[in-house]
Amino acid sequence: RYLASRMGRRVVCRSASDLLSMWVGGTEQNLAQAFREAEGEEALLLFDEIDSLLRDRRGAVRSWEVSQVNELLQQLEAFSGVVVCTTNLWTDLDAAALRRFVFKVEFRYLRPEQALELFAASFAEVMARPVDSEAEREARTAMSRLEVGIVRQFAELRKPAA
């Protein structure tokens, strides 16, 4: 959305619930319609959680799983505008899809100093006074613990089930 605002464009945002259809060919029609709408309005087209639509075809069980990925790939290829896709599961995407994206940007957790800087910048107007050095040190310590905790929690989630 920030990119669209910087470009002076509207955002056409679509998620799986907007696009997936229980009817054969319905998903492909919904995809084509999203691209037509964005093209007609010169809008930035945003697909949220694209892994719902662009899963690796090698794991497909049904023909419609392949045809919806094929449709999306063809639409991406022909689209003259800007498409942005979000996912936390980029490694599950079809390899052909990854080749169609010019930029692939990974956003990692903020380092403690980045989190503190973001906090200060975001809340500068509502803070009554500047943060003193002792409060800043305490905030950095707390954020360091938070980062370690997040990494530890993530590692626990990644462990195979016993």
Side-chain angles (χ1 to χ4, degrees), residues 5-69:
S5 73
R6 293 294 302 221
M7 296 171 66
R9 294 186 181 195
R10 179 172 126 22
V11 175
V12 171
C13 181
R14 295 293 181 269
S15 62
S17 63
D18 301 320
L19 299 167
L20 295 175
S21 171
M22 62 187 226
W23 307 109
V24 174
T27 299
E28 292 85 346
Q29 290 174 357
N30 293 340
L31 286 165
Q33 177 57 37
F35 279 92
R36 278 194 301 272
E37 182 183 344
E39 185 99 49
E41 297 182 22
E42 294 185 356
L44 180 142
L45 182 54
L46 170 63
F47 289 109
D48 193 22
E49 301 299 344
I50 195 66
D51 51 280
S52 298
L53 300 163
L54 276 180
R55 288 271 177 188
D56 192 333
R57 290 171 287 183
R58 291 176 293 186
V61 176
R62 294 169 186 82
S63 63
W64 56 264
E65 293 172 300
V66 174
S67 66
Q68 88 179 23
V69 172

Side-chain angles (χ1 to χ4, degrees), residues 6-151:
R6 293 294 302 221
M7 296 171 66
R9 294 186 181 195
R10 179 172 126 22
V11 175
V12 171
C13 181
R14 295 293 181 269
S15 62
S17 63
D18 301 320
L19 299 167
L20 295 175
S21 171
M22 62 187 226
W23 307 109
V24 174
T27 299
E28 292 85 346
Q29 290 174 357
N30 293 340
L31 286 165
Q33 177 57 37
F35 279 92
R36 278 194 301 272
E37 182 183 344
E39 185 99 49
E41 297 182 22
E42 294 185 356
L44 180 142
L45 182 54
L46 170 63
F47 289 109
D48 193 22
E49 301 299 344
I50 195 66
D51 51 280
S52 298
L53 300 163
L54 276 180
R55 288 271 177 188
D56 192 333
R57 290 171 287 183
R58 291 176 293 186
V61 176
R62 294 169 186 82
S63 63
W64 56 264
E65 293 172 300
V66 174
S67 66
Q68 88 179 23
V69 172
N70 289 344
E71 177 67 27
L72 189 44
L73 293 175
Q74 290 171 349
Q75 292 289 341
L76 282 169
E77 194 72 30
F79 189 61
S80 62
V82 176
V83 177
V84 174
C85 300
T86 68
T87 183
N88 293 324
L89 301 171
W90 71 269
T91 57
D92 293 348
L93 298 182
D94 194 273
L98 291 173
R99 289 192 299 270
R100 284 172 169 81
F101 293 107
V102 177
F103 299 105
K104 298 163 201 77
V105 181
E106 182 177 12
F107 294 96
R108 296 183 167 271
Y109 293 111
L110 295 176
R111 293 187 310 273
E113 63 273 10
Q114 292 173 313
L116 186 60
E117 189 175 320
L118 177 61
F119 179 84
S122 299
F123 297 103
E125 292 180 23
V126 295
M127 296 192 49
R129 59 185 171 76
V131 177
D132 63 35
S133 59
E134 177 61 22
E136 183 175 337
R137 187 187 62 70
E138 288 175 16
R140 284 183 189 280
T141 301
M143 287 183 201
S144 293
R145 276 190 242 114
L146 177 64
E147 179 185 42
V148 169
I150 289 171
V151 170

